[in-house]
Amino acid sequence: MANAALVSCSLNLLSGSRSCSKPSSRLTPSASVSLQVSQSPFRKIHLNGDKRLRKYHTVYAMAVSMGQETRAQPGSGSGHSSNEASSPKKVMVIGGDGYCGWATSLHLSNKNYEVAVVDNLVRRSFDHQLGLDSLTPIASIHNRIRRWKSLTGKDIGLYVGDICDFEFLSEAFKSFEPDAVVHFGEQRSAPYSMIDRSRAVYTQHNNVIGTLNVLFAIKEFGEDCHLVKLGTMGEYGTPNIDIEEGFITITHNGRTDTLPYPKQASSFYHLSKVHDSHNIAFTCKAWGIRATDLNQGVVYGVKTEETAMHEELYNRLDYDAVFGTALNRFCVQAAVGHPLTVYGKGGQTRGYLDIRDTVQCIELAIANPAQRGEFRVFNQFTEQFSVNELAALVTKAGKKLGLDVRTVSVPNPRVEAEEHYYNAKHTKLAELGLKPHLLSDSLLDSLLNFAVQYKDRVDSRQIMPSVSWRKIGAKPKTVPA
């Protein structure tokens, strides 16, 4: 074993702060569980609640290089020219421990990309903050990666740290030298951003500064690196005209121009995504960065080909009112006999896609990169449904399985139109070859059966919404035990 370095870290589980002793040699990713630890303390994250978690623990992390191991050859979708065919395309997945990120990391590794996960693991601490848990038991990131290696022989590198710490991110970039960066590494919940002032500030700081750091890292250490950034369809809002893919051509007072599509964000989270899009567009123009902004709809499902291989590879499935998405939540509610919680009139219409299509879209974007200086936007979803339509589909599927499924209208905690026009374009990914998994009876049956299998893990106290857009305040909101 070459270039082994041991790092001793003191980690505050509640605040997220971490201090580390300097390693004696430079950390490098490995073929085992390669781990890079930030040398600067994490920013303080406000985690209000259980004081019993205010303890320090020592974490030992080893970063190793396994020497001359044979690398897998890239698959047909790796996007290599003929003179690059000898080595896999290297993809850094920021936020690779999360719902979309983990599924994407495995998928790309399975397609013979060389993958490294960058994550500060803070999503897991959000569960501790709020007393939440995934419906599915999820293994630690280290055990996940070890299991993947044992099943496939494929390596996934791991860099544990905060991308808001530019020193850490710089070292990760210089060590891994990615050809593409897939950026999932943001606080991704609108309700979380609306809990209180501290979470709103955290969301915007984490998301906007983190993305700025990624842009600077690309400029400084990998100017030809392609950024694939996860945006959201929520940036557009619900305008009374068709939603185009990123840009709209308008004629005003006799003059015509193509401009960025207007943004109407509906939470501090969605606003952070709008800021990201503007920053990315600017750096493409100013620095020649190549970027693809994937405005993703609402994702559902839990299984991909890779995550279904072993229980230690299972993805998380959130059913609570803070992180759970509509269809996943409805399936879990049906499984435990809780009425489906439709917010307000239920006419809210959005774009949806299967988690299997999320990973497919990411692969397509990487294999067909943007040009230098190009900022392109793809609307990433496959079908549109209203909340009422989803509830009806789950009710029908649940009854086939013998479940007593009912629906109840609850006061809408959000500030949004409950009945509106919605028609969003989504042709660009299909033109690149997306083969969608449309919502079918068999998929609903599978998701419902999965929810029934783990229904004993459901905490019914987490089902009803408790975060109000109008009642958000400056005072930190604590969670009762």
Side-chain angles (χ1 to χ4, degrees), residues 161-175:
D162 190 343
I163 64 170
C164 289
D165 170 5
F166 190 69
E167 180 184 356
F168 160 76
L169 183 61
S170 299
E171 289 303 312
F173 256 79
K174 289 185 286 186
S175 173

Side-chain angles (χ1 to χ4, degrees), residues 195-213:
I195 291 175
D196 54 31
R197 186 204 65 83
S198 66
R199 269 96 172 192
V201 170
Y202 169 78
T203 297
Q204 296 222 346
H205 185 277
N206 180 80
N207 294 3
V208 178
I209 302 305
T211 297
L212 273 174
N213 279 350

Side-chain angles (χ1 to χ4, degrees), residues 298-300 325-331 334 340-342 346 348-353 383-398 405 407 439 443-444 447-448:
V298 183
V299 185
Y300 59 82
T325 57
L327 185 58
N328 288 350
R329 294 185 68 233
F330 282 173
C331 287
L340 309 188
T341 52
V342 172
Q348 302 93 317
T349 302
R350 303 290 187 268
Y352 289 81
L353 77 162
E383 298 177 276
Q384 293 181 178
F385 297 102
S386 71
V387 174
N388 284 331
E389 288 171 335
L390 287 180
L393 288 170
V394 173
T395 298
K396 179 181 176 182
V405 185
T407 298
L439 186 58
L443 184 280
L444 280 172
L447 192 52
L448 281 165

Side-chain angles (χ1 to χ4, degrees), residues 285-301:
K285 183 185 298 184
W287 302 341
I289 284 177
R290 59 176 82 220
T292 302
D293 201 3
L294 298 174
N295 283 341
Q296 182 168 257
V298 183
V299 185
Y300 59 82

Side-chain angles (χ1 to χ4, degrees), residues 137-349:
I138 54 174
S140 71
I141 185 62
H142 309 86
N143 287 341
R144 282 174 156 185
I145 290 175
R146 291 189 188 104
R147 179 59 62 185
W148 178 248
K149 168 72 172 179
S150 72
L151 291 171
T152 67
K154 298 178 184 292
D155 305 314
I156 294 178
L158 176 62
Y159 297 83
V160 173
D162 190 343
I163 64 170
C164 289
D165 170 5
F166 190 69
E167 180 184 356
F168 160 76
L169 183 61
S170 299
E171 289 303 312
F173 256 79
K174 289 185 286 186
S175 173
F176 185 64
E177 298 179 335
D179 300 302
V181 171
V182 180
H183 184 14
F184 293 113
E186 300 195 315
Q187 193 296 101
R188 54 98 170 165
S189 164
Y192 186 90
S193 76
M194 302 300 293
I195 291 175
D196 54 31
R197 186 204 65 83
S198 66
R199 269 96 172 192
V201 170
Y202 169 78
T203 297
Q204 296 222 346
H205 185 277
N206 180 80
N207 294 3
V208 178
I209 302 305
T211 297
L212 273 174
N213 279 350
V214 172
L215 292 168
F216 272 96
I218 291 173
K219 181 179 186 294
E220 294 296 319
F221 309 116
E223 61 180 10
D224 203 44
C225 181
H226 177 210
L227 173 62
V228 179
K229 166 69 166 58
L230 191 74
T232 171
M233 290 297 295
E235 292 184 37
Y236 299 122
T238 54
N240 198 37
I241 59 173
D242 290 355
I243 296 173
E244 305 296 331
E245 295 200 66
F247 299 89
I248 185 170
T249 300
I250 62 173
T251 299
H252 179 65
N253 291 341
R255 301 184 68 85
T256 300
D257 202 353
T258 298
L259 302 169
Y261 197 94
K263 311 287 189 178
Q264 299 184 81
S266 59
S267 73
F268 291 119
Y269 155 74
H270 290 103
L271 284 163
S272 75
K273 292 289 194 176
V274 172
H275 300 328
D276 286 341
S277 294
H278 290 322
N279 286 337
I280 296 168
F282 170 73
T283 56
C284 288
K285 183 185 298 184
W287 302 341
I289 284 177
R290 59 176 82 220
T292 302
D293 201 3
L294 298 174
N295 283 341
Q296 182 168 257
V298 183
V299 185
Y300 59 82
V302 66
K303 290 184 178 181
T304 63
E305 176 186 345
E306 294 80 16
T307 64
M309 289 171 61
H310 192 278
E311 61 183 10
E312 281 193 310
L313 301 181
Y314 280 0
N315 208 346
R316 66 179 307 119
L317 183 66
D318 298 306
Y319 62 89
D320 58 88
V322 176
F323 288 99
T325 57
L327 185 58
N328 288 350
R329 294 185 68 233
F330 282 173
C331 287
V332 173
Q333 290 168 10
V336 299
H338 191 287
L340 309 188
T341 52
V342 172
Y343 293 174
K345 296 178 181 179
Q348 302 93 317
T349 302

